[in-house]
Amino acid sequence: MSASSSEPRVGVWLIGARGSVATTVVAGCAAVTAGLHPPTGMVTETPLFAGCGLPPLSSLVFGGHDTVDCPLPKRAEALASGGVLPSGLPAAVAAELEAADREIRPGGPVPGGTQDTADLVDGFTADLRDFLRRRELTRAVVVNVASTEPAPTGTALPPSSLYAAAALEAGCPYVNFTPSTGLHHPALASAARAGGVPYAGRDGKTGQTLLRSVLGPMFAQRALEVRAWSGTNLLGGGDGASLADPAAAAAKNAGKERVLADTLGTAPQGEVHIDDVPALGDWKTAWDHIAFDGFLGTRMILQTTWQGCDSALAAPLVLDLARLVSRAHEVGLSGPLDGLGFYFKDPLGEGPAALGEQYAALARFAIRLRTPRPERREPHPEHRAQPPGRRNPQPERRPSHAPREER
């Protein structure tokens, strides 16, 4: 997005920058900024966040990493043809899509590539620092919106963790909107604690699990015994293809099942199934079958059907999170932002799983954003822990966008 010369600019660096979600984020931000569409679905545009000092949408500058080379304008046209984006919107925001596309750099690792972990992390870090410098940004938030990857089975860092390590090394706040490992890898624990930047995640809550986080507390609060809760997801697109891998689907389903166990106090019978249906494209259907007992053991059933567009559900949340985490960084917060559990299936920290309680925590988080903390002196860069993959790190001068120490 473009911004006035006097307006501080904030970068949003998207991992999976040419995917459906990222394309919808860029096009949607441009459309809302231009007044072409209202900010429907953006909680940060509600009165709850009035006066919080969030960066305006017009100040956001997009870039990112991806392993595919389809230009954003072409990707946006395909999404418009599928009904994901409004007809005519790609042409109306073509300049913004082209500007973001120019800031996308090759991701990795790629099949047959020769770069090792250290080379990849160093390269991703250099891309981030170059983005900050060239675009004269006050900071940049790294947001992972790439396809779900299987849980790692060895000690090597998976791709999502390579990008997370680069974010730490570049001093950038980080958001994991996917169920992939990211900062959760044990090898990054020390660097995350010492990094001095805020981070949030994981796995954006957009459909079936959002509904579960509302219905689960309802059954518990009304003392209704849930005997079984089964679910099925039908989806296409890149997400459907990646979740056809049983290991990736298992990573996705873990958060869905955890919400039920946390809100009901027990894990009911039943499983969640994910079916790849390529013909559905970016649209998904989630069906739940809930068997529960009422007074005197009367057996009853509740069935729900959620049909929605995955990218249109996710994009406003990504914009919210980029703005919230940027502001958290600005006011001096660091470490896991448990006040943002409202947005995730598997949130960091020990916060509640029920949506109502998570919204209350989000409201408390908004108050924290209105109260900047006093400045404190930075530790010298060479005293900070380095993420894995950095070879022979050399002390370097801390740029103006560097994170503040945790208070």
Side-chain angles (χ1 to χ4, degrees), residues 243-319:
L243 293 173
D245 179 349
K252 186 80 170 178
N253 286 337
K256 294 176 179 288
E257 294 167 356
R258 189 173 297 110
V259 167
L260 294 184
D262 289 348
T263 57
L264 296 174
T266 184
Q269 296 178 23
E271 297 179 346
V272 177
H273 298 275
I274 298 177
D275 295 332
D276 177 25
V277 185
L280 294 180
D282 205 55
W283 300 81
K284 65 181 180 182
T285 295
W287 173 72
D288 274 23
H289 183 281
I290 308 160
F292 65 99
D293 288 347
F295 191 51
L296 303 179
T298 304
R299 295 199 163 190
M300 291 175 267
I301 298 292
L302 172 64
Q303 296 185 53
T304 67
T305 302
W306 177 287
Q307 295 178 306
C309 176
D310 196 49
S311 297
L313 290 166
L317 308 187
V318 171
L319 289 169

Side-chain angles (χ1 to χ4, degrees), residues 19-292:
S20 296
V21 172
T23 305
T24 306
V25 166
V26 176
C29 184
V32 173
T33 300
L36 301 177
H37 290 271
T40 304
M42 292 190 63
V43 182
T44 52
E45 288 295 303
T46 66
L48 177 65
F49 287 98
C52 285
L54 301 181
L57 293 175
S58 60
S59 75
L60 302 184
V61 181
F62 294 98
H65 283 116
D66 209 321
T67 56
V68 302
D69 56 8
C70 178
L72 282 182
K74 185 175 180 180
R75 182 65 174 146
E77 290 172 2
L79 292 176
S81 296
V84 177
L85 296 179
S87 177
L89 182 61
V93 298
E96 287 86 350
L97 290 167
E98 291 166 359
D101 194 68
R102 288 193 294 271
E103 298 293 345
I104 298 176
R105 301 294 178 263
V110 295
T114 59
Q115 289 182 302
D116 61 17
T117 294
D119 291 333
L120 288 166
V121 172
D122 286 347
F124 297 157
T125 304
D127 291 337
L128 280 165
R129 288 176 172 159
D130 180 63
F131 180 58
L132 286 157
R133 177 187 56 79
R134 284 187 303 98
R135 303 306 302 269
E136 299 180 343
L137 307 175
T138 57
R139 61 185 46 80
V141 180
V142 176
V143 187
N144 182 14
V145 290
S147 297
T148 300
E149 65 188 18
T153 55
T155 58
L157 293 180
S160 64
S161 296
L162 299 179
Y163 294 116
L168 291 176
E169 196 159 340
C172 294
Y174 175 80
V175 176
N176 189 0
F177 201 73
T178 80
S180 301
T181 303
L183 278 182
H184 275 63
H185 199 284
L188 296 183
S190 175
R193 286 193 298 268
V197 296
Y199 50 90
R202 63 184 171 171
D203 199 3
K205 184 165 57 187
T206 59
Q208 184 181 49
T209 309
L210 177 66
L211 193 58
R212 288 179 168 210
S213 69
V214 175
L215 293 177
M218 178 195 75
F219 285 109
Q221 291 162 5
R222 292 297 296 268
L224 298 170
E225 183 180 356
V226 175
R227 293 181 290 106
W229 197 316
S230 300
T232 295
N233 285 262
L234 309 177
L235 69 162
D239 217 18
S242 66
L243 293 173
D245 179 349
K252 186 80 170 178
N253 286 337
K256 294 176 179 288
E257 294 167 356
R258 189 173 297 110
V259 167
L260 294 184
D262 289 348
T263 57
L264 296 174
T266 184
Q269 296 178 23
E271 297 179 346
V272 177
H273 298 275
I274 298 177
D275 295 332
D276 177 25
V277 185
L280 294 180
D282 205 55
W283 300 81
K284 65 181 180 182
T285 295
W287 173 72
D288 274 23
H289 183 281
I290 308 160
F292 65 99

